[in-house]
Amino acid sequence: MTDRRIRVRFAPSPTGPLHIGGVRTALYNYLFARHHGGTFILRIEDTDQARYVGGAEDYIMDSLEWAGIKVDEGVREGGPFAPYRQSDRKEIYHRYADELINRGDAYYAFDKAEELDRLRQEHESRGETFNYGCTTRMNMCNSLTLDQEAVKQRISTGEHYVVRYRMPDNEDIHFSDLIRGDIVVNTSTLDDKVLYKSDGMPTYHLANIVDDHLMEISHVIRGEEWLPSLPLHVMLYRSFGWEAPLFSHLPLLLKPTGKGKLSKRDGDKMGFPVFPLYWPYGETASGYREEGYFPEAFVNMLALLGWNPGTEQEIFTMDELIAAFTIERVGKSGSRFDPEKAKWFNTKYFQMKSNEELADLFMPIVKEKGFSPDASTLVKIISLVKERTGFVKELWHEADFFFVAPETYDPDVVRKRWNADSSLQMRELREVVAGVQPFTSEILEKTVKEWIVSGPYNTGTILNLFRLLLVGASRGPHLFDIAGLIGREETLRRIDDGISRLSS
Ligand code: GLU
């Protein structure tokens, strides 16, 4: 297969917010397509009307856009194989269902839901499972057991029917998966799946195969949960006489404990999102975007959950991922999701950004708090606090004292540091600070430290108290940098306010 013909698709069903496992599937498809100079298609599989959730389709597209996963052909983009939403392709599937019936590989079934339920329950009570397939189909109400006239009659009077695939009896089917290797399944273990319903809607299996064929998909890269459907899909390709695409089933994303599939509940319990964006409908859910993750960091983290570059490199730009990505390096076993590692990635990207970039991102937050510093002041502030966090939204917490004087003082620090001598010490410090010329961080530091060592006071005591008065707590970057930045007047005011509040 030449590179030019590589066409892959991400084919989500709009049944709710897109799980990060789904974003990873989209990402691997995208990386694979770009690596080979191929095409990445987004197809919306919305034939299951009962599970359709409004807003989910836009959510999927917005999520990919945020993550920087660019769709070449899709609902929004259009393309030579439009439409890309299955409900808009409804007319297409009917004739393929007919074709299978005509070939004898599918049949009409008229069994009522109640009858099927009854059979299921009856089997269950015996500890068995009811399968509509080679051992049962000849006892059921379908076009294999009814005569042709009766079938015609039922269809023409509008009786509800489904079209089922007629799985051959006791045949080994061989196929392969690029990640899992060769697989053999005996058809007797498979049931006769419903492909089409008389309401004019295909099921996932038929629509998926027909569209992958019509859209000339070369590689199907999807989650492991679709592996059980693969034998049926392989059979459908065979029945139609079409060349099947190459398949790759990606390993699951596992809970942080390593056991079982990562779920929303894990995220809720441990306080991390399992969705890319905030989900605003019904049971709302948090998203990586709103939690303050950079899309580049999010994508980098996801890329390494299931794929490895074969080197120690962990930080990859999208272009580097595209260059390095191959299916051969996708593992077979599930990847444990680690929320701390997600934070680690974001912190790395945060630290890699320039002070100017971070200041630009921080400015709207500062403005919202009611302050309008000039850009260069903000850049300076960033340079002082950058190392203390990995998230823009935590910057305010690290830097609020540059803008707001303390009104209260951490009681633990007060208890530990403020005593009968403190007022006098701070009044003397005030005089020293008032005389510093020019008022810069360096000169202030030099002057204050010289004053301390030349007198009776302990350096730690004085500096801890000074910090308490400037910040209200024992946190923050280099003390003299804080004073230098807020300036002499503000420094003196905070010392005065602190003395009067704490000594009263
Ligand atoms: N519509 C299926 C899903 O929701 C697509 C599976 C596939 O890629 O074939 O994931």
Side-chain angles (χ1 to χ4, degrees):
M1 196 169 293
T2 63
D3 275 5
R4 216 174 316 136
R5 281 185 49 218
I6 294 234
R7 291 176 56 82
V8 294
R9 84 306 191 272
F10 176 52
S13 297
T15 55
L18 179 64
H19 188 276
I20 54 173
V23 183
R24 189 196 56 171
T25 300
L27 176 65
Y28 285 10
N29 274 283
Y30 173 75
L31 296 177
F32 182 80
R34 286 288 180 276
H35 182 91
H36 293 284
T39 304
F40 173 62
I41 295 143
L42 174 67
R43 184 173 71 226
I44 298 293
E45 300 207 326
D46 59 347
T47 56
D48 188 349
Q49 294 295 306
R51 294 182 62 221
Y52 181 83
V53 172
E57 187 179 302
D58 276 327
Y59 181 94
I60 291 166
M61 297 191 266
D62 293 345
S63 298
L64 298 190
E65 205 177 301
W66 175 69
I69 300 171
K70 294 192 186 67
V71 174
D72 298 314
E73 295 174 21
V75 173
R76 283 182 184 166
E77 297 71 16
F81 297 86
Y84 292 92
R85 184 190 288 118
Q86 287 185 327
S87 58
D88 296 337
R89 302 171 62 79
K90 230 172 121 177
E91 285 66 44
I92 296 175
Y93 309 109
H94 189 197
R95 86 178 173 80
Y96 290 98
D98 279 352
E99 189 177 326
L100 289 176
I101 293 171
N102 293 338
R103 288 171 185 259
D105 287 348
Y107 57 92
Y108 297 104
F110 302 96
D111 315 272
K112 302 265 176 291
E114 305 81 61
E115 172 63 3
L116 293 171
D117 279 346
R118 192 187 63 73
L119 283 167
R120 278 190 205 108
Q121 275 165 17
E122 194 185 288
H123 277 70
E124 228 166 82
S125 67
R126 281 186 265 133
E128 295 165 8
T129 4
F130 171 72
N131 268 338
Y132 202 122
C134 57
T135 56
T136 54
R137 66 168 83 98
M138 295 316 283
N139 307 323
M140 306 297 292
C141 184
N142 55 46
S143 57
L144 305 172
T145 56
L146 298 166
D147 65 49
Q148 261 195 340
E149 272 315 303
V151 172
K152 270 198 197 132
Q153 168 82 19
R154 281 171 186 254
I155 293 175
S156 64
T157 56
E159 188 173 328
H160 176 78
Y161 66 82
V162 297
V163 174
R164 285 181 182 270
Y165 187 69
R166 183 181 183 164
M167 193 52 83
D169 189 10
N170 192 23
E171 195 188 310
D172 281 339
I173 35 176
H174 297 257
F175 47 93
S176 68
D177 180 282
L178 296 181
I179 297 171
R180 282 142 217 284
D182 294 335
I183 304 172
V184 188
V185 173
N186 188 282
T187 51
S188 299
T189 63
L190 305 169
D191 54 353
D192 291 354
K193 281 272 183 297
V194 174
L195 300 178
Y196 191 83
K197 296 180 187 157
S198 51
D199 65 3
M201 271 298 191
T203 60
Y204 155 70
H205 302 292
L206 181 68
N208 186 270
I209 263 53
V210 166
D211 284 345
D212 281 349
H213 172 70
L214 295 178
M215 295 181 179
E216 298 177 7
I217 299 303
S218 62
H219 294 72
V220 167
I221 304 169
R222 62 184 171 194
E224 179 179 293
E225 62 272 32
W226 302 102
L227 194 57
S229 302
L230 185 54
L232 169 64
H233 295 183
V234 170
M235 289 306 292
L236 284 168
Y237 280 104
R238 195 173 89 176
S239 292
F240 283 119
W242 297 335
E243 187 193 344
L246 297 173
F247 293 97
S248 304
H249 287 82
L250 305 173
L252 289 178
L253 277 193
L254 304 176
K255 296 176 188 300
T257 56
K259 286 189 199 94
K261 192 176 161 189
L262 178 68
S263 72
K264 176 169 184 298
R265 218 167 327 124
D266 302 316
D268 291 346
K269 242 193 316 195
M270 294 178 63
F272 63 86
V274 297
F275 303 116
L277 314 180
Y278 174 69
W279 172 257
Y281 312 104
E283 194 190 334
T284 60
S286 65
Y288 278 85
R289 181 178 64 186
E290 290 72 18
E291 292 297 312
Y293 282 79
F294 296 118
E296 308 92 292
F298 172 73
V299 159
N300 194 155
M301 164 202 75
L302 273 187
L304 290 170
L305 285 171
W307 169 80
N308 78 82
T311 64
E312 293 297 302
Q313 185 178 349
E314 286 194 283
I315 300 299
F316 287 86
T317 63
M318 188 70 103
D319 283 343
E320 288 170 335
L321 287 172
I322 290 169
F325 186 84
T326 60
I327 288 288
E328 290 71 39
R329 292 213 149 271
V330 175
K332 276 198 207 35
S333 49
S335 313
R336 195 175 64 83
F337 179 78
D338 177 359
E340 291 310 314
K341 191 75 189 190
K343 287 186 192 152
W344 179 87
F345 273 108
N346 207 70
T347 303
K348 283 276 169 197
Y349 276 81
F350 180 94
Q351 299 300 341
M352 280 175 341
K353 293 211 184 282
S354 69
N355 296 341
E356 286 72 16
E357 274 175 286
L358 290 176
D360 281 348
L361 296 170
F362 188 32
M363 188 61 100
I365 298 177
V366 175
K367 288 213 163 122
E368 210 188 292
K369 297 282 181 189
F371 303 93
S372 316
D374 51 43
S376 61
T377 307
L378 212 52
V379 170
K380 185 85 213 293
I381 292 175
I382 296 287
S383 74
L384 296 179
V385 301
K386 185 175 180 178
E387 241 125 70
R388 303 173 163 264
T389 179
F391 288 83
V392 172
K393 71 181 214 172
E394 283 172 11
L395 278 171
W396 178 255
H397 175 70
E398 297 299 336
D400 55 352
F401 44 78
F402 287 109
F403 304 95
V404 205
E407 279 177 8
T408 56
Y409 300 86
D410 183 334
D412 288 340
V413 185
V414 173
R415 207 173 306 123
K416 197 163 146 203
R417 311 251 180 233
W418 192 269
N419 59 35
D421 304 327
S422 304
S423 267
L424 173 69
Q425 292 166 351
M426 288 298 100
R427 270 203 299 275
E428 285 182 33
L429 171 75
R430 186 199 192 285
E431 290 321 305
V432 177
V433 170
V436 170
Q437 235 12 299
F439 194 81
T440 65
S441 167
E442 295 75 28
I443 309 231
L444 177 66
E445 177 166 6
K446 192 166 164 279
T447 317
V448 169
K449 284 187 172 164
E450 275 170 12
W451 163 68
I452 299 174
V453 293
S454 67
Y457 302 140
N458 170 280
T459 308
T461 305
I462 299 298
L463 298 188
N464 282 320
L465 288 171
F466 191 12
R467 180 179 292 277
L468 178 66
L469 300 195
L470 286 193
V471 175
S474 62
R475 64 196 173 90
H478 191 54
L479 178 60
F480 297 100
D481 285 339
I482 302 177
L485 213 120
I486 61 177
R488 187 202 313 272
E489 237 179 90
E490 179 65 16
T491 301
L492 294 178
R493 188 175 317 130
R494 290 189 191 187
I495 295 175
D496 291 338
D497 287 350
I499 293 172
S500 75
R501 286 180 188 139
L502 289 170
S503 41
S504 63

